[in-house]
């Protein structure tokens, strides 16, 4: 697997593949790759002739009090894992390549409505940073398809909306969340957890399942959300939200609506913020 840092080198490799009529699948990441990321690479591998991954810890999607500085940077380890997954090319740009006018001077993409709720409400500006960097990466790589994990469900919806609204010529594919044996969704942030917190963290998935079961039994949405919030508080979490939404656009379902729903949770354990979701269908 080849690693390139600058845009010209990236484009040259991809131009060579294109001239042979090959299709390109793309997996954008912030590195510190684990089995969840590898499953995204595998999906791209199955659907395209060539696979490009990017590793870029994007400064514009972190808030001032978030973990940008301490976000784990493990490029050598990531390269080994990507090569094992048969990835063809790694794009690992510097900040100046992605933001030639600096982060503050950059064009910014704002996806309205979808970004004003849930994660967007708790992390102002986060999705502007995500949409902007993903749009830039799409312009650089120009893939036929790109794979995103369902673990970041709202992010997936924001990217789908951006692609549709800006008529970007890329197919977005969703990859199912990979979980540890106890149900905890795999995430780079899990490594911040102490042993005690790690044991508790599986409660998030258990709570999502409980929410789904309460709705299936006919309980009101607010009852299920409140029961789940209390359960998390009792277990020692600080929940930011427990929400049942329409999976299509994250809008609020009307009472009694049962089809096409998703439950989403964001909760802190100490200084670590975990998110997860569960589609009901
Ligand atoms: O999900 C992530 O790792 C990031 O938000 C992404 C999509 C690579 C953009 O920086």
């Amino acid at each position: 697997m080849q690693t390139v840092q600058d845009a010209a080198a990236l484009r040259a490799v991809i131009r060579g593949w294109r001239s042979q009529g090959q299709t390109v699948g793309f997996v954008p990441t912030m590195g510190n790759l684990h089995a969840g990321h590898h499953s995204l690479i595998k999906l791209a591998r199955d659907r395209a002739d060539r696979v490009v991954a990017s590793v870029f810890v994007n400064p514009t999607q972190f808030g001032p009090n978030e973990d940008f500085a301490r976000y784990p940077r493990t490029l050598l380890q990531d390269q080994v894992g990507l090569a094992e997954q048969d990835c063809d090319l790694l794009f690992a740009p510097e900040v100046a390549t992605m933001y030639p006018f600096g982060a503050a001077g950059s064009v910014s993409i704002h996806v309205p409505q979808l970004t004003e709720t849930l994660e967007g409400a708790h992390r102002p500006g986060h999705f502007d940073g995500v949409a902007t960097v993903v749009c830039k990466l799409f312009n650089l790589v120009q893939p036929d398809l790109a794979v995103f994990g369902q673990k970041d469900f709202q992010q997936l919806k924001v990217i789908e909306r951006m692609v549709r609204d800006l008529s970007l010529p890329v197919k977005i594919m969703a990859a199912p969340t990979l979980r540890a044996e106890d149900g905890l969704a795999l995430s780079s942030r899990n490594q911040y957890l102490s042993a005690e917190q790690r044991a508790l963290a599986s409660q998030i998935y258990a709570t999502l399942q409980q929410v789904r079961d309460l709705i299936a039994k006919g309980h009101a949405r607010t009852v299920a959300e409140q029961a789940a919030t209390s359960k998390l508080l009792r277990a020692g979490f600080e929940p930011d939200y427990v929400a049942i939404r329409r999976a299509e656009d994250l809008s609020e379902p009307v009472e009694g609506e049962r089809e096409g729903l998703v439950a989403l949770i964001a909760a802190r354990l100490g200084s670590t913020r975990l998110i997860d979701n569960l589609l009901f269908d």
Side-chain angles (χ1 to χ4, degrees):
M1 184 192 68
Q2 199 180 340
T3 300
V4 293
Q5 275 199 311
D6 69 283
L10 173 80
R11 287 204 159 113
V13 176
I14 294 174
R15 205 178 308 119
W17 295 339
R18 291 277 182 215
S19 69
Q20 293 165 29
Q22 294 179 331
T23 57
V24 176
F26 178 45
V27 181
T29 81
M30 296 207 300
N32 198 237
L33 306 181
H34 49 67
H37 296 107
H38 293 164
S39 72
L40 310 187
I41 300 286
K42 186 174 182 315
L43 187 56
R45 180 81 278 162
D46 289 347
R47 303 297 167 95
D49 298 320
R50 295 290 187 168
V51 177
V52 180
S54 63
V55 167
F56 179 64
V57 185
N58 173 35
T60 63
Q61 68 187 77
F62 289 81
N65 299 317
E66 294 185 352
D67 56 349
F68 176 67
R70 74 163 177 158
Y71 199 86
R73 285 145 171 98
T74 52
L75 190 62
L76 289 179
Q77 193 184 304
D78 294 343
Q79 284 171 313
V80 172
L82 287 169
E84 280 170 7
Q85 297 306 312
D86 219 7
C87 179
D88 294 293
L89 180 65
L90 169 61
F91 180 47
E94 299 287 345
V95 174
T97 303
M98 296 308 295
Y99 294 100
F101 301 100
S106 164
V107 170
S108 178
I109 295 186
H110 177 66
V111 177
Q113 294 160 354
L114 254 181
T115 59
E116 279 141 32
T117 181
L118 304 170
E119 285 303 283
H122 287 272
R123 303 181 68 189
H126 168 68
F127 287 122
D128 293 358
V130 171
T132 301
V133 81
V134 170
C135 189
K136 284 168 179 269
L137 288 165
F138 282 176
N139 285 334
L140 287 161
V141 176
Q142 301 190 353
D144 297 281
L145 64 92
V147 186
F148 291 82
Q150 272 179 352
K151 151 100 175 28
D152 295 305
F153 193 77
Q154 192 173 6
Q155 168 172 283
L156 172 66
K157 294 286 134 183
V158 169
I159 301 300
E160 285 174 350
R161 177 74 62 88
M162 174 184 77
V163 162
R164 191 153 167 227
D165 202 4
L166 297 182
S167 308
L168 301 180
V170 52
K171 180 177 161 60
I172 301 301
M173 302 193 64
T177 304
L178 245 64
R179 299 184 179 280
E181 263 181 32
D182 64 358
L184 177 65
L186 298 193
S187 162
S188 300
R189 292 192 166 103
N190 293 351
Q191 66 196 276
Y192 300 151
L193 300 170
S194 67
E196 196 188 336
Q197 290 170 335
R198 173 61 191 83
L200 271 178
S202 61
Q203 289 294 314
I204 293 190
Y205 186 54
T207 308
L208 285 166
Q209 290 173 308
Q210 184 193 33
V211 169
R212 180 193 55 194
D213 296 347
L214 286 172
I215 294 294
K217 283 182 192 149
H219 289 278
R221 179 168 64 94
T222 46
V223 170
E225 288 170 347
Q226 276 159 19
T229 305
S230 306
K231 180 180 155 99
L232 289 173
L233 282 167
R234 276 196 310 275
F237 291 86
E238 288 174 68
D240 276 348
Y241 57 80
V242 176
I244 299 167
R245 295 291 174 92
R246 292 188 180 120
E248 194 191 349
D249 59 4
L250 297 177
S251 60
E252 292 193 16
V254 292
E255 215 44 82
E257 195 172 328
R258 294 278 179 272
E259 300 291 310
L261 301 181
V262 59
L264 306 105
I265 288 179
R268 277 172 212 284
L269 261 183
S271 59
T272 306
R273 190 168 180 278
L274 300 172
I275 62 170
D276 199 357
N277 65 82
L278 183 64
L279 285 160
F280 288 179
D281 301 328

